[in-house]
Amino acid sequence: MNHDKIAVVDFGGQFCHLIATKIRKLEVLAEIKDPNDPLESFLEYKGIVLSGSPALASAGEGSQFTEGLIDLPLPVIGFCFGHQEIAKHYGGQVEFTAREYGYAKLHIHQQAEIFHGLGPEEQVWMSHGDSVTRLGEGFIELASSTIGDDREPHRNAAIAHPGLKRYGFQYHPEVDDTVHGSEMLANFVFRICGCRPTWKIDDYVAEQVEAIRREVGDRSVFLLASGGVDSTVTARLIDRALGASRLQLLHIDNGLMRKGESRRVVDRFREYGMGDNLHFIDASETFLQALAGVTEPERKRQIIGTTFIDVFNSEAQRLDLEGFMLGQGTIYPDTIETGGTKHADVIKTHHNRVDVVEQMIAQGKVIEPLRELYKSEVRELGKQLEISDDLLYRHPFPGPGLGIRVLCAAEGEPEGYDPEGAGARLTPILEPAGLEGMLLPIRSVGVKADLRSYEFPVLLHGRGAEWQTLTTLTGRICQEVPGVNRGIYNLLDEIPVEAKVQPGGITRARLDLLRELDQLVMDGLRRHGLMADIWQCPTVLVPLEINGMGRELVVLRPILSERGMTAAPAPLPEALLDELRQAVQDFPDVSGLAIDVTSKPPSTIEWE
């Protein structure tokens, strides 16, 4: 059957594949296209979506795409960068003006087919620096946006030329945080492009089984099995495709696991009948030696990923499995955040995307059946493979493990640290709410307008602050204070007045401390019935002495998310926070306790 199709043009935005995923959930086939594909290759589609990008349209970056693409006689809609390119193409102007990150309120001024069935105000999700400041002939402003209650409207948040069927959204309707984004996509796909919902995903497992058989051929697979959702679903899928005799699994204890995690992983695979094919090695000392003295996050990630492959190759040789393909539970966020598409920026290198793995992929030695999926789709697939909900809905745990939750620092204050300059900008934002803020002398990874940031967090303090106030002000701070991409809120009674870096790297002692603290947090979430409500809750060690005490600031990072591409900070009940306040006092190295109140973007879920 010939399906109606939508082309999604990939300019390197973090959410490009999510656009295609959301359209396919409407039962319309969506395919990713390169902006430099031949013009005639787009004519088989019913409409075109232009994705976001790390490029700045105002500077002319990223605009070298196939000539005539936007002029095709097809409906075209653009999101973020794509929106700006449409405006420019038809005589509008784009400038680098007001930044917006996170939740925004969309104020719809004119009804249009693209907003059919929606109300006058909608919650949307922003991540941009450029803005459309002037429209070309025939274009109209459909909506403006605001963040918070006291800011001027951001103009041209949605634009249209109904006659040409050209539309632009400054925000991202494809992310779950745009509440009615799927309805907006459906309006474009069905009402404007006239597509029919004929593409089904019911046969996805069967399709993947056949794809695995074609890709593997007469070879076998040696799968790196962390025991998480992704690797377990991958194992079951490959097992169904090839049979147990052609699948071997390797679980590596890298010393960066949670307390007792490796033992639970081995037991779990045995419960699923894969114990006979599961191999285990404790390589913790190998990983700790490789990471000794390393402080830079990207370097840590590269080392962890490379060491995984070194251990894998050593074990493959020992077990006489050298001709086997490497199997990995890689999912799409791992690829896009590593800059794994042509136009994407590197946010952070995932352990399964280090250089040696990329070389093996190019040589056809790696199989990753889930590489195009998000976490929510992996869970749907796991249900079809009859994997139990207690595993499918466990909190995600990163491949580098606690290695990216133990922050490391060199001697002295980091380059660019300017507490006085930041303080002057923080005061007018925080003072009306009865809060104060202190720039911390440590950096964390973030993502702003599809670009990697490596900037400073702000520690907010002031008793009794409401959660909405904290998250709103943190959003403003990350937009208005240069060099800041994260805000955390002090949970202890003592007012923080001084923070001093404690130089050091990853050590067994610091990892053991984090394991105990992480266990306290996980047990607390279970005790209060929050494991299903909170999508993930990293506990982070930040090497800071506060007010001359301790050497480790403990940060809680509870978040709400669906796919991990965007995330909202989640409040914890006061009863649980009281328990944790009391518990951390038993650890002499702990200097403070705080909770992360930043969305993704502008921060990432993990600190590194």
Side-chain angles (χ1 to χ4, degrees):
M1 179 179 183
N2 291 324
H3 300 288
D4 291 340
K5 299 190 296 184
I6 297 293
V8 180
V9 182
D10 182 5
F11 286 105
Q14 292 288 298
F15 311 130
C16 176
H17 276 62
L18 185 51
I19 301 170
T21 296
K22 285 294 186 75
I23 293 174
R24 289 196 293 264
K25 287 187 78 69
L26 299 172
E27 299 186 341
V28 172
L29 183 58
E31 296 179 338
I32 305 295
K33 299 282 288 181
D34 189 275
N36 300 118
D37 283 348
L39 197 63
E40 58 271 18
S41 69
F42 289 91
L43 296 177
E44 61 185 276
Y45 297 93
K46 298 277 285 185
I48 297 172
V49 181
L50 307 182
S51 83
S53 173
L56 282 175
S58 61
E61 298 173 357
S63 299
Q64 293 73 41
F65 49 87
T66 299
E67 185 177 357
L69 174 61
I70 298 180
D71 292 318
L72 285 170
L74 300 169
V76 181
I77 191 169
F79 306 148
C80 201
F81 174 84
H83 154 81
Q84 297 154 11
E85 285 298 310
I86 289 173
K88 282 171 53 181
H89 183 78
Y90 291 101
Q93 184 170 341
V94 175
E95 299 179 73
F96 187 79
T97 56
R99 298 174 177 87
E100 289 184 304
Y101 304 115
Y103 292 115
K105 185 178 292 185
L106 187 74
H107 307 275
I108 298 174
H109 308 312
Q110 295 198 42
Q111 279 302 320
E113 284 287 272
I114 199 71
F115 291 138
H116 175 79
L118 302 183
E121 291 187 349
E122 294 287 338
Q123 177 182 291
V124 299
W125 188 265
M126 295 282 191
S127 180
H128 71 101
D130 277 351
S131 300
V132 175
T133 56
R134 190 183 70 239
L135 297 179
E137 185 178 351
F139 275 80
I140 57 175
E141 180 188 41
L142 297 180
S144 60
S145 65
T146 55
I147 292 182
D149 297 326
D150 57 349
R151 302 187 63 190
E152 290 294 319
H154 196 111
R155 301 298 303 274
N156 300 317
I159 63 174
H161 191 306
L164 295 176
K165 293 188 177 180
R166 296 296 184 266
Y167 300 86
F169 295 162
Q170 182 58 77
Y171 55 93
H172 291 273
E174 68 272 27
V175 304
D176 299 310
D177 306 270
T178 296
V179 173
H180 292 116
S182 292
E183 287 86 342
M184 298 174 195
L185 287 171
N187 285 337
F188 178 72
V189 169
F190 298 126
R191 303 183 72 86
I192 294 169
C193 298
C195 290
R196 299 163 297 160
T198 60
W199 187 82
K200 308 291 182 182
I201 61 172
D202 297 344
D203 297 327
Y204 187 82
V205 170
E207 292 174 3
Q208 286 304 304
V209 163
E210 288 304 312
I212 290 169
R213 289 171 179 165
R214 288 194 303 271
E215 188 172 355
V216 175
D218 59 0
R219 293 174 291 180
S220 297
V221 175
F222 194 18
L223 174 70
L224 280 173
S226 70
V229 176
D230 305 329
S231 67
T232 303
V233 171
T234 300
R236 291 295 290 270
L237 193 58
I238 294 176
D239 179 67
R240 180 169 293 192
L242 305 179
S245 63
R246 296 174 61 192
L247 173 64
Q248 298 287 313
L249 298 93
L250 176 64
H251 177 68
I252 300 172
D253 183 351
N254 57 5
L256 309 173
M257 305 291 285
R258 281 178 158 146
K259 188 176 180 179
E261 182 71 8
S262 285
R263 183 187 69 252
R264 289 191 291 271
V265 169
V266 172
D267 290 344
R268 192 178 298 123
F269 276 112
R270 285 174 178 160
E271 291 171 7
Y272 281 108
M274 298 182 181
D276 292 342
N277 292 8
L278 176 65
H279 307 277
F280 169 78
I281 180 172
D282 182 350
S284 56
E285 194 58 37
T286 300
F287 278 83
L288 290 179
Q289 287 178 4
L291 289 166
V294 178
T295 61
E296 205 278 321
E298 270 294 286
R299 181 70 182 136
K300 285 164 62 176
R301 285 176 168 270
Q302 290 281 355
I303 288 171
I304 292 169
T306 301
T307 306
F308 263 121
I309 299 303
D310 290 344
V311 174
F312 171 86
N313 287 335
S314 176
E315 286 299 287
Q317 183 178 25
R318 184 180 70 82
L319 297 166
D320 195 25
L321 303 176
E322 290 179 280
F324 284 40
M325 295 183 74
L326 165 65
Q328 296 195 125
T330 306
I331 61 176
Y332 187 69
D334 302 344
T335 302
I336 186 64
E337 290 188 338
T338 310
T341 64
K342 185 176 179 181
H343 306 279
D345 192 52
V346 176
I347 306 302
K348 52 190 178 184
T349 300
H350 287 253
H351 71 289
N352 46 26
R353 278 294 175 269
V354 295
D355 291 344
V356 65
V357 174
E358 295 286 7
Q359 293 167 13
M360 294 174 68
I361 291 172
Q363 296 165 359
K365 296 180 178 180
V366 181
I367 182 163
E368 298 171 321
L370 311 182
R371 61 185 175 272
E372 297 292 331
L373 303 183
Y374 294 87
K375 185 71 71 176
S376 59
E377 286 77 38
V378 173
R379 286 172 170 156
E380 291 176 12
L381 186 58
K383 286 183 178 180
Q384 296 183 49
L385 293 168
E386 300 178 343
I387 295 174
S388 62
D389 283 356
D390 66 321
L391 173 60
L392 289 180
Y393 292 96
R394 72 193 293 265
H395 285 194
F397 188 64
L402 302 182
I404 56 172
R405 295 181 181 177
V406 172
L407 271 63
C408 305
E411 187 80 42
E413 295 177 348
E415 183 179 353
Y417 178 62
D418 180 17
E420 289 78 17
R425 291 175 177 264
L426 288 170
T427 298
I429 298 174
L430 296 174
E431 197 172 60
L435 294 169
E436 296 181 68
M438 177 170 64
L439 193 70
L440 296 178
I442 192 104
R443 288 181 289 188
S444 73
V445 176
V447 55
K448 291 183 173 182
D450 291 317
L451 290 167
R452 180 184 194 262
S453 71
Y454 190 39
E455 299 176 313
F456 299 97
V458 168
L459 177 59
L460 307 176
H461 52 95
R463 297 299 292 170
E466 293 185 357
W467 186 258
Q468 184 62 49
T469 300
L470 291 171
T471 57
T472 300
L473 291 179
T474 295
R476 281 192 61 191
I477 289 167
C478 292
Q479 293 173 58
E480 299 177 20
V481 181
V484 174
N485 65 2
R486 196 179 294 268
I488 61 177
Y489 177 59
N490 175 45
L491 293 174
L492 300 185
D493 290 331
E494 185 174 358
I495 297 174
V497 295
E498 180 186 30
K500 184 178 179 182
V501 174
Q502 298 299 294
I506 293 179
T507 64
R508 195 175 291 276
R510 295 188 74 203
L511 287 165
D512 286 343
L513 171 61
L514 182 52
R515 271 187 268 272
E516 295 299 326
L517 291 163
D518 174 78
Q519 187 70 42
L520 282 172
V521 175
M522 291 296 105
D523 287 346
L525 292 175
R526 292 187 188 94
R527 195 165 52 250
H528 288 265
L530 296 171
M531 290 297 286
D533 298 329
I534 303 296
W535 192 73
Q536 190 178 4
C537 187
T539 301
V540 186
L541 279 190
V542 183
L544 293 174
E545 174 190 276
I546 305 294
N547 295 352
M549 302 291 290
R551 55 179 299 111
E552 304 282 6
L553 172 63
V554 179
V555 179
L556 312 175
R557 178 60 164 145
I559 58 101
L560 306 173
S561 186
E562 181 71 20
R563 293 172 174 82
M565 296 303 294
T566 61
L572 296 179
E574 194 62 30
L576 174 56
L577 294 179
D578 283 340
E579 293 169 9
L580 296 175
R581 288 185 187 103
Q582 185 66 32
V584 299
Q585 295 180 25
D586 294 334
F587 299 91
D589 281 343
V590 172
S591 61
L593 180 67
I595 187 168
D596 196 323
V597 293
T598 328
S599 64
K600 176 187 179 179
S603 67
T604 48
I605 294 172
E606 302 287 353
W607 276 52
E608 292 189 340

